């Protein structure tokens, strides 16, 4: 699934309105490769889903 960051831009972390791919969901949090190139967990309430993963529907 792809999501858009709605928070403020934080250098080398997340950029406002940038689209990120959720590589997994763990404990309700999104694991995302951020602007540093590393993957971290982020709370979903600061993201907008822009593309659902259709694989789950089959």
């Amino acid at each position: 699934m792809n999501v858009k960051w709605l928070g403020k831009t934080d250098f080398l972390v997340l950029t406002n309105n940038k689209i990120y791919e959720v590589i997994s969901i763990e404990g309700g949090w999104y694991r995302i490769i951020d602007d540093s190139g590393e993957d971290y967990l982020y709370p979903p309430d600061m993201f907008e889903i822009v593309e659902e993963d259709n694989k789950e529907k089959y």
Side-chain angles (χ1 to χ4, degrees):
M1 137 173 89
N2 291 325
V3 294
K4 178 170 53 172
W5 173 243
L6 301 176
K8 67 177 186 137
T9 297
D10 192 359
F11 181 69
L12 286 180
V13 181
L14 296 167
T15 302
N16 181 262
N17 288 324
K18 184 174 177 179
I19 306 298
Y20 295 92
E21 181 181 1
V22 176
I23 56 177
S24 68
I25 299 174
E26 301 171 29
W29 286 43
Y30 296 159
R31 182 165 296 277
I32 293 173
I33 298 174
D34 66 15
D35 296 344
S36 73
E38 299 293 327
D39 63 285
Y40 295 99
L41 289 170
Y42 292 99
D45 59 338
M46 292 299 295
F47 292 89
E48 174 185 327
I49 297 173
V50 294
E51 183 181 328
E52 297 272 355
D53 186 356
N54 291 330
K55 289 186 254 182
E56 296 174 5
K57 296 179 182 178
Y58 297 104

